[in-house]
Every structure is written in structure tokens, then in C-alpha cells.
Amino acid sequence: LWFSCWDAAMSTCCGCCPADPPKYKLTGSHLVITTVNPCRFGPIRCCCQTEYEIDNIDLTHVTDADVKGIPAPCCHQVFCGGKSRDHIQIRTTVEGMKVLKLYKGEGEVVVRKILNQVEEAQQMERD
């Protein structure tokens, strides 16, 4: 998820090393976050030695979820037409805070879905 086409070109060697964006999956009782962490030399991403992480968040431990709008840096806005992003901050009692990065405008919808699923999971836990 980039602010502008320049940011994307610098991060992917002009498309030669395509990016693997994080993937989010909301199930009945868990939020699964799959993150790929490529090897980098400064802003340039290498095509090899990529590691990944799968994080399962138990929804019964979620205490809050908020949306924070992140504007594109000034130079990206002025010269490249950079776009803002939404960061969803999810607080849990066990794992601390997790952050999901989405395009602007998607954050509110996703937070609503997460909080609805949290309520259902916590109700099932109590029953």
C-alpha cells in the first residue's frame, strides 16, 4: 500500500520485484493477518530472502478498534498526487496493539465489521 506511483516504483524496483501486500481475513472467532517482510537495501526490495508471518488474533481478547487517517507526505501530494491511508488500530488484552493499513475510506467499514464480529465472539465465549 503506497502513497503514490513514485513510492510504488521505488519499493518494487519499477515493478521488477512485485510486492506482497498484507492479507486480512476475518472469521467467526479470529482475525488472521498475513504479513510478508522482504529483504531490503534502503528503499529497494530484493526478490529473494522473503520471510512471512501469520498472526491469529482471538476476537474474544479485542478491547477496541479505531481508525486513524494518515495523509500522504507533502512531497507525494504535491508532485505525485499521493493519496491518504486509513490505519486501523486494534487493541487486545493479550497481544497489545495491531495495525491494519488500508486505502482511505475503507477503514470505517472494516472497523464496523471487526467490532460486530468481536461482539458475537465475546457473546459466544460468555454462553
Side-chain angles (χ1 to χ4, degrees):
L1 189 63
W2 298 284
F3 287 115
S4 66
C5 58
W6 173 257
D7 192 20
M10 287 299 297
S11 297
T12 62
C13 294
C14 295
C16 293
C17 297
D20 295 317
K23 295 177 184 168
Y24 313 119
K25 182 178 178 183
L26 184 62
T27 66
S29 60
H30 287 85
L31 174 63
V32 181
I33 303 172
T34 305
T35 308
V36 177
N37 300 314
C39 180
R40 293 186 176 272
F41 291 107
I44 307 299
R45 179 178 177 233
C46 297
C47 294
C48 57
Q49 295 185 350
T50 300
E51 62 182 45
Y52 67 95
E53 177 182 334
I54 298 174
D55 191 4
N56 293 298
I57 301 171
D58 187 344
L59 294 178
T60 59
H61 298 285
V62 172
T63 58
D64 192 22
D66 298 314
V67 178
K68 181 178 181 182
I70 306 293
C74 186
C75 62
H76 285 277
Q77 289 180 16
V78 172
F79 298 113
C80 305
K83 297 182 174 127
S84 300
R85 299 191 282 202
D86 285 346
H87 286 194
I88 299 176
Q89 299 171 334
I90 301 172
R91 288 174 197 64
T92 68
T93 55
V94 178
E95 299 184 46
M97 185 161 48
K98 302 292 181 178
V99 177
L100 309 181
K101 298 176 183 177
L102 303 169
Y103 290 111
K104 182 179 179 177
E106 295 178 353
E108 290 181 42
V109 174
V110 173
V111 162
R112 197 173 320 119
K113 288 179 181 180
I114 290 172
L115 291 176
N116 287 340
Q117 203 61 39
V118 165
E119 285 181 30
E120 269 188 43
Q122 289 176 348
Q123 269 184 339
M124 289 189 314
E125 181 78 16
R126 282 187 238 132
D127 293 343

Coordinates of all heavy atoms in Angstrom, one line a residue, residues 1 6 9 13 21 27 30 37 43-44 56 60-61 67-68 72-73 80 84-85 87 89 93 97 103 124:
L1 N 0.9 -1.2 0.0 CA 0.0 0.0 0.0 C 0.9 1.2 0.0 O 1.6 1.4 0.9 CB -0.9 -0.1 1.3 CG -2.0 1.0 1.4 CD1 -3.0 0.8 0.2 CD2 -2.7 0.8 2.7
W6 N 5.2 7.0 -7.4 CA 6.7 7.1 -7.2 C 7.1 6.2 -6.0 O 8.1 5.5 -6.1 CB 7.0 8.5 -6.9 CG 8.5 8.7 -6.5 CD1 8.9 8.9 -5.2 CD2 9.6 8.6 -7.3 NE1 10.3 9.0 -5.3 CE2 10.8 8.8 -6.5 CE3 9.8 8.4 -8.7 CZ2 12.0 8.8 -7.0 CZ3 11.1 8.4 -9.2 CH2 12.2 8.6 -8.4
A9 N 7.0 2.6 -7.3 CA 8.1 2.3 -8.2 C 9.4 2.1 -7.4 O 10.2 1.2 -7.7 CB 8.3 3.4 -9.2
C13 N 11.3 -1.8 -7.4 CA 12.3 -1.7 -8.5 C 11.6 -1.5 -9.8 O 11.8 -2.3 -10.8 CB 13.2 -2.9 -8.5 SG 14.3 -3.1 -7.1
P21 N 1.3 -7.6 -0.6 CA 0.6 -6.8 0.5 C 0.1 -7.7 1.6 O -0.1 -8.9 1.4 CB -0.5 -6.1 -0.2 CG -0.8 -7.0 -1.4 CD 0.5 -7.6 -1.8
T27 N -12.7 -14.2 10.5 CA -13.5 -15.4 10.6 C -14.4 -15.2 11.8 O -14.5 -14.1 12.4 CB -12.6 -16.6 10.8 OG1 -11.9 -16.5 12.1 CG2 -11.6 -16.8 9.7
H30 N -11.7 -15.3 14.9 CA -10.3 -14.8 14.8 C -10.1 -13.8 13.6 O -10.9 -13.9 12.7 CB -9.3 -16.0 14.5 CG -9.1 -16.9 15.7 ND1 -9.9 -17.9 16.0 CD2 -8.1 -16.8 16.6 CE1 -9.5 -18.5 17.1 NE2 -8.4 -17.9 17.5
N37 N 7.5 -9.9 4.8 CA 8.6 -9.0 5.1 C 9.8 -9.3 4.2 O 10.6 -10.1 4.5 CB 9.1 -9.1 6.6 CG 7.9 -8.8 7.5 OD1 7.2 -7.8 7.4 ND2 7.8 -9.7 8.5
P43 N 15.4 1.7 0.3 CA 14.0 1.6 -0.2 C 13.8 0.5 -1.2 O 12.7 0.2 -1.6 CB 13.8 3.0 -0.8 CG 15.1 3.4 -1.3 CD 16.1 2.9 -0.3
I44 N 14.9 -0.1 -1.7 CA 14.8 -1.1 -2.8 C 14.6 -2.5 -2.2 O 15.3 -2.9 -1.3 CB 16.1 -1.1 -3.6 CG1 16.4 0.3 -4.1 CG2 16.0 -2.1 -4.8 CD1 15.4 0.9 -5.0
N56 N -2.7 -14.8 14.3 CA -4.1 -15.1 14.6 C -4.5 -14.4 15.8 O -3.9 -14.6 16.9 CB -4.2 -16.6 14.8 CG -4.0 -17.4 13.5 OD1 -4.8 -17.2 12.6 ND2 -3.0 -18.3 13.5
T60 N -12.0 -12.7 21.1 CA -12.5 -12.5 22.5 C -11.6 -11.6 23.3 O -12.0 -11.2 24.4 CB -12.7 -13.9 23.1 OG1 -11.5 -14.6 23.2 CG2 -13.8 -14.7 22.4
H61 N -10.4 -11.4 22.8 CA -9.4 -10.6 23.6 C -9.3 -9.2 23.0 O -8.6 -8.4 23.6 CB -8.0 -11.2 23.5 CG -7.9 -12.6 24.1 ND1 -7.9 -12.8 25.4 CD2 -7.9 -13.8 23.5 CE1 -7.8 -14.1 25.7 NE2 -7.8 -14.7 24.5
V67 N -10.0 3.9 13.9 CA -9.5 4.3 12.6 C -8.7 5.6 12.8 O -9.1 6.6 13.4 CB -10.6 4.5 11.6 CG1 -10.0 5.0 10.2 CG2 -11.4 3.3 11.4
K68 N -7.5 5.6 12.2 CA -6.7 6.8 12.2 C -6.3 7.1 10.7 O -5.8 6.3 10.0 CB -5.4 6.6 13.0 CG -4.5 7.8 13.0 CD -3.3 7.5 13.9 CE -2.4 8.7 14.0 NZ -1.2 8.4 14.8
A72 N -0.8 11.5 3.0 CA 0.4 11.2 2.3 C 1.4 12.3 2.6 O 1.0 13.5 2.9 CB 0.1 11.2 0.8
P73 N 2.7 12.0 2.6 CA 3.7 13.1 2.8 C 3.5 14.2 1.8 O 3.0 14.0 0.7 CB 5.0 12.4 2.6 CG 4.7 10.9 2.8 CD 3.3 10.7 2.4
C80 N 3.3 14.0 -6.8 CA 2.9 12.6 -7.4 C 1.4 12.3 -7.2 O 0.9 11.2 -7.5 CB 3.7 11.5 -6.7 SG 5.4 11.7 -6.8
S84 N -4.1 9.5 0.8 CA -4.1 9.2 2.2 C -4.4 7.7 2.4 O -4.9 7.0 1.5 CB -5.1 10.0 2.9 OG -4.8 11.4 2.8
R85 N -4.1 7.2 3.6 CA -4.4 5.9 4.0 C -5.2 5.9 5.4 O -5.2 6.8 6.1 CB -3.2 5.1 4.3 CG -2.3 4.9 3.1 CD -1.2 3.9 3.3 NE -0.1 4.5 4.1 CZ 1.1 4.0 4.1 NH1 1.4 3.0 3.3 NH2 2.1 4.5 4.9
H87 N -5.4 3.7 8.9 CA -4.8 2.7 9.8 C -5.8 2.3 10.8 O -6.3 3.2 11.5 CB -3.5 3.3 10.4 CG -2.4 3.4 9.5 ND1 -1.1 3.6 10.0 CD2 -2.3 3.4 8.2 CE1 -0.3 3.7 8.9 NE2 -1.0 3.6 7.8
Q89 N -6.3 0.6 14.3 CA -5.6 0.2 15.4 C -6.5 -0.7 16.3 O -7.5 -0.3 16.8 CB -5.1 1.4 16.2 CG -4.3 2.4 15.4 CD -4.0 3.7 16.1 OE1 -4.8 4.1 16.9 NE2 -2.9 4.3 15.8
T93 N -6.1 -7.5 24.8 CA -5.6 -7.7 26.2 C -4.4 -8.6 26.2 O -3.6 -8.4 27.1 CB -6.7 -8.4 27.1 OG1 -7.1 -9.6 26.5 CG2 -7.9 -7.4 27.3
M97 N -1.2 -3.9 20.7 CA -1.9 -3.3 19.6 C -1.4 -3.8 18.2 O -0.2 -4.1 18.0 CB -1.6 -1.8 19.6 CG -2.4 -1.1 18.5 SD -2.7 0.7 18.7 CE -1.2 1.4 19.1
Y103 N -6.7 1.5 2.2 CA -6.9 2.7 1.5 C -7.9 3.6 2.2 O -8.7 3.2 2.9 CB -7.4 2.4 0.1 CG -6.4 1.8 -0.8 CD1 -6.5 0.5 -1.2 CD2 -5.3 2.5 -1.3 CE1 -5.6 -0.2 -2.0 CE2 -4.3 1.9 -2.1 CZ -4.5 0.6 -2.5 OH -3.6 0.0 -3.2
M124 N -20.5 -15.5 22.4 CA -20.4 -17.0 22.4 C -19.5 -17.4 23.5 O -19.7 -18.5 24.1 CB -19.8 -17.4 21.1 CG -20.8 -17.3 20.0 SD -20.4 -18.1 18.4 CE -18.7 -17.6 18.1

